[in-house]
Amino acid sequence: MADQKEQKKAVEKRWREEKYKVMYHSQLHYNEIRRLMKEQLTDIDSLNEQIREAYTLEPTRGSMLNTYQHLWGYFKKKATAEEKEAFLPLLEQVPETNDLINQLLYQLAHKYEVKYLQESSILSEKN
């Protein structure tokens, strides 16, 4: 029983780290993994396969915008006027501004100590 709890914890941790990057690549995969998580997925290999499959897909402008808007939601009430002025115009130029958006969101995640995003693969430097 403890082994299954450990597996579940590992799956949950992996999903926390990857969910926004999956959303960025494929809303369909994101929704499917969410469904599996609600069904108490404990097989990390199955999760990793879904994640790998999502990452093979070319993100659409819509999936990029959706993901960035979700990430911005962590800051929209905290951000200064200057931060809002820096971020919002970048959305209009996605995907050309992806690198700038990622940098800004990375900085905001650290400035406002949003641990959930600090640990997210979408904002990691290897992205």
Side-chain angles (χ1 to χ4, degrees), residues 6-22:
E6 291 302 314
Q7 289 174 338
K8 178 70 175 155
K9 278 186 177 181
V11 165
E12 288 172 350
K13 180 182 185 296
R14 176 82 168 128
W15 180 233
R16 273 193 317 271
E17 294 168 351
E18 301 299 327
K19 72 188 268 184
Y20 288 118
K21 195 169 178 182
V22 168

Side-chain angles (χ1 to χ4, degrees), residues 15-31:
W15 180 233
R16 273 193 317 271
E17 294 168 351
E18 301 299 327
K19 72 188 268 184
Y20 288 118
K21 195 169 178 182
V22 168
M23 180 188 286
Y24 180 87
H25 283 270
S26 170
Q27 187 69 43
L28 289 174
H29 283 80
Y30 174 83
N31 290 341

Side-chain angles (χ1 to χ4, degrees), residues 15 18-39 41 47 50-51 54 63 66-67 70:
W15 180 233
E18 301 299 327
K19 72 188 268 184
Y20 288 118
K21 195 169 178 182
V22 168
M23 180 188 286
Y24 180 87
H25 283 270
S26 170
Q27 187 69 43
L28 289 174
H29 283 80
Y30 174 83
N31 290 341
E32 176 61 15
I33 295 171
R34 278 190 61 208
R35 185 188 66 74
L36 292 170
M37 293 301 291
K38 287 179 183 177
E39 293 176 4
L41 179 67
L47 175 63
Q50 288 280 335
I51 291 169
S63 69
N66 182 48
T67 303
H70 270 81

Side-chain angles (χ1 to χ4, degrees), residues 31-115:
N31 290 341
E32 176 61 15
I33 295 171
R34 278 190 61 208
R35 185 188 66 74
L36 292 170
M37 293 301 291
K38 287 179 183 177
E39 293 176 4
Q40 305 301 311
L41 179 67
T42 58
D43 180 8
I44 198 154
D45 292 334
S46 176
L47 175 63
N48 284 333
E49 180 58 32
Q50 288 280 335
I51 291 169
R52 272 193 299 279
E53 194 176 299
Y55 292 170
T56 66
L57 301 174
E58 192 66 35
T60 65
R61 185 172 191 278
S63 69
M64 292 176 204
L65 281 171
N66 182 48
T67 303
Y68 289 140
Q69 288 166 340
H70 270 81
L71 295 170
W72 178 251
Y74 286 88
F75 309 111
K76 67 181 180 184
K77 292 183 180 174
K78 299 175 184 180
T80 65
E82 293 82 18
E83 290 164 343
K84 288 177 186 175
E85 286 175 30
F87 180 79
L88 296 175
L90 294 176
L91 285 179
E92 296 170 21
Q93 298 171 40
V94 165
E96 293 81 9
T97 55
N98 284 0
D99 289 344
L100 294 172
I101 290 173
N102 282 341
Q103 288 172 1
L104 182 56
L105 290 170
Y106 178 88
Q107 291 167 355
L108 293 173
H110 285 81
K111 175 181 178 181
Y112 294 110
E113 299 178 349
V114 181
K115 187 175 189 238

